[in-house]
């Protein structure tokens, strides 16, 4: 299975345009410190251990800090039949406001 890539700067527009789910694959502490609005947290470790409960009918838009973890998660989820968009650049390239818990 394949997945799409897009710039992290497009993440909110892509989520709205595709009615997608934004998924932060960083660990829970990093997510709690700050994350992109509307994002849910599903750490890469959980994805690797197949602890995933995302709807397969939705497009899943992934991001992480630098782009490496989200690419790994994208490959795993695409192989499991999810429709995936991976963001390039990670939070370091994101220019929008962040939400803090």
């Amino acid at each position: 299975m394949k997945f799409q890539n897009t710039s992290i700067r497009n993440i909110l527009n892509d989520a709205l345009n595709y009615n997608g789910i934004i998924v932060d694959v960083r660990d829970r502490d990093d997510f709690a410190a700050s994350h992109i609005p509307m994002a849910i947290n599903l750490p890469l470790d959980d994805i690797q251990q197949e602890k995933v409960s995302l709807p397969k009918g939705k497009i899943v838009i992934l991001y992480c800090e630098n782009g490496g973890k989200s690419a790994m998660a994208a490959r795993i989820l695409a192989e499991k039949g999810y429709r995936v968009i991976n963001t390039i650049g990670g939070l370091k390239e994101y220019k929008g406001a962040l939400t803090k818990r």
Side-chain angles (χ1 to χ4, degrees):
M1 283 276 172
K2 294 189 178 194
F3 57 88
Q4 279 182 259
N5 288 304
T6 189
S7 169
I8 187 77
R9 295 177 182 166
N10 299 330
I11 194 166
L12 293 175
N13 284 336
D14 286 345
L16 293 171
N17 290 338
Y18 295 114
N19 193 26
I21 301 170
I22 298 174
V23 178
D24 183 325
V25 301
R26 299 175 303 149
D27 66 41
R28 287 173 181 79
D29 290 339
D30 289 338
F31 179 80
S34 66
H35 57 273
I36 293 174
M38 302 187 313
I40 63 169
N41 186 223
L42 180 59
L44 176 60
D45 289 344
D46 288 355
I47 294 169
Q48 290 171 322
Q49 295 172 19
E50 298 187 17
K51 297 178 183 175
V52 179
S53 61
L54 297 169
K56 286 199 174 176
K58 293 267 191 175
I59 291 182
V60 179
I61 305 166
L62 305 173
Y63 77 92
C64 63
E65 190 68 31
N66 298 305
K69 285 184 177 183
S70 64
M72 289 174 61
R75 280 192 291 278
I76 294 167
L77 291 174
E79 287 174 4
K80 300 286 182 199
Y82 289 92
R83 297 182 311 163
V84 179
I85 297 175
N86 177 53
T87 56
I88 305 295
L91 271 184
K92 292 188 177 211
E93 298 292 322
Y94 182 71
K95 302 300 182 199
L98 296 174
T99 299
K100 298 180 181 182
R101 267 197 184 162

